[in-house]
Amino acid sequence: MFPELRMRRLRSGKIRDLVRETSLSVDDLIYPMFVDENIDDVQNTASMPGVERLPLSKVADDAKEAADLGIPALILFGIPSKKDDMGSSAWGDEDIVQKAVREVKDELGKDMLVITDVCLCEYTDHGHCGMIDREKGEILNDPTLPLLGKTAVSHAKAGADMVAPSGMMDGMIGAIRSALDENNFKEIPIMSYAAKYSSAFYGPFRDVADSGCCFGDRSTYQMDPANSEEAIREVELDVLEGADIVMVKPALPYLDIIYRIKNEFKMPTAAYNVSGEFAMLKAAAQNGWLDEKQVMHESLLSIKRAGADMILTYFARDMAKMLK
């Protein structure tokens, strides 16, 4: 007890560093990239300062800049020139993400792990993550599964190192695992958006990815923010279906979920530090209310401390520069 015990003894100078329990490394970071088939020049997004839509011609250069900062992995999102009911621009060999994968791999090879987001919301004209029944206003689960399988296989054929299904369709991991295996891609791992909540923090992403819904919302297939036990069940099902890495999305409002999942399953766990989390800190920093570098580091450190092994974050490049 005090005064014999003084906790402050370990909080100064190099001693503070020696007893630090959690560290953040550039190796923990995954860099999200948006490639747009409709543009010839880089485009900024007002709600996500510093996050850009890239034309195909700029993708390899941007990926190389990330690699030069030591960032080991990126995840690709595509904005196609054509959208339809089925999202058919998601799985063609010459569609935008497939071309972007080849560009990055031709430039960097094994120096950059290329992950692809597997979902239909960026490719459908209605903005939902699966096929729909327009008359009933319903998102159709089972008819969507083969399309996700086709999309994952097309990404693997293009050279993707990992696929990341994000649509929250029941059975999607099993369908994708089967499709990959049947097409001789048994070695391609799946990073599942296993516990993806129906969150208001996704708004700015939908601006940059052009993936807003034209009717309803995503609450019938994304999780209720009030639920914790459901996240455990979702992750367990995805693991049983063949997921190699599981993800929690968003990150900061769901640190308790990250902690529970890491402790329950003890398997590689990712967290997505989403667009709304990024935009809040950026806006506060631009107004002089917060120190951007400090709150960026503290936020990402908290995600790591909660149990995440890897963090998808729009701060990836800024954080890598700071760590360097």
Side-chain angles (χ1 to χ4, degrees), residues 32 51 90 94 102 112 115 133 147 174-176 206 235 248 257 271 275 283 287 290 298 315:
V51 175
E94 296 302 316
R102 291 195 290 269
M112 178 62 74
I115 308 166
D133 182 325
L147 305 184
I176 289 170
R206 290 169 186 158
V235 170
V248 177
I257 306 301
S275 59
N287 279 285
L290 293 172
E298 187 176 339
F315 283 119

Side-chain angles (χ1 to χ4, degrees), residues 42-277:
V42 173
Q43 288 188 354
N44 295 312
T45 305
S47 58
M48 295 181 71
V51 175
E52 300 166 333
R53 285 191 193 184
L54 301 168
L56 185 63
S57 61
K58 300 291 186 184
V59 167
D61 291 341
D62 196 64
K64 188 175 187 307
E65 289 178 14
D68 289 344
L69 289 169
I71 296 171
L74 60 82
I75 183 166
L76 282 169
F77 298 89
I79 299 101
S81 59
K82 176 187 174 184
K83 299 190 178 194
D84 58 29
D85 247 17
M86 297 175 64
S88 58
S89 294
W91 57 78
D93 289 342
E94 296 302 316
D95 282 329
I96 187 61
V97 164
Q98 291 78 358
K99 288 181 178 179
V101 170
R102 291 195 290 269
E103 289 284 324
V104 175
K105 297 308 287 185
D106 286 348
E107 176 71 26
L108 296 172
K110 294 182 179 179
D111 291 335
M112 178 62 74
L113 182 80
V114 176
I115 308 166
T116 54
D117 179 76
V118 178
C119 192
L120 301 182
C121 63
E122 296 136 57
Y123 306 93
T124 55
D125 54 12
H126 47 77
H128 280 290
C129 300
M131 292 184 66
I132 62 169
D133 182 325
R134 285 189 183 270
E135 290 185 5
K136 296 181 179 178
E138 293 179 0
I139 291 78
L140 304 175
N141 191 95
D142 294 12
T144 300
L145 301 181
L147 305 184
L148 296 176
K150 286 173 63 174
T151 302
V153 168
S154 73
H155 292 175
K157 284 181 179 176
D161 300 296
M162 183 187 298
V163 295
S166 61
M168 288 299 284
M169 297 291 118
D170 290 341
M172 68 178 184
I173 302 304
I176 289 170
R177 185 72 272 162
S178 294
L180 289 170
D181 291 356
E182 288 165 7
N183 285 274
N184 297 315
F185 292 112
K186 294 181 176 65
E187 76 283 0
I188 298 294
I190 297 173
M191 178 169 67
S192 173
Y193 290 63
K196 181 177 178 181
Y197 284 84
S198 181
S199 172
F201 283 92
Y202 302 149
F205 172 91
R206 290 169 186 158
D207 292 340
V208 70
D210 190 24
S211 62
C213 298
C214 70
F215 69 88
D217 57 31
R218 294 173 170 85
S219 61
T220 63
Y221 49 100
Q222 294 178 358
M223 287 178 53
D224 185 340
N227 293 354
S228 175
E229 296 298 331
E230 183 185 358
I232 303 300
R233 295 178 65 199
E234 282 280 11
V235 170
E236 182 178 24
L237 288 168
D238 283 4
V239 171
L240 291 172
E241 290 179 24
D244 302 283
I245 300 170
V246 293
M247 187 197 301
V248 177
K249 182 183 181 185
L252 292 175
Y254 299 91
L255 294 176
D256 60 318
I257 306 301
I258 298 170
Y259 179 82
R260 285 198 64 189
I261 286 170
K262 184 62 180 178
N263 279 274
E264 182 87 14
F265 296 96
K266 295 179 173 58
M267 66 179 296
T269 303
Y272 203 140
N273 178 223
V274 300
S275 59
E277 300 167 53

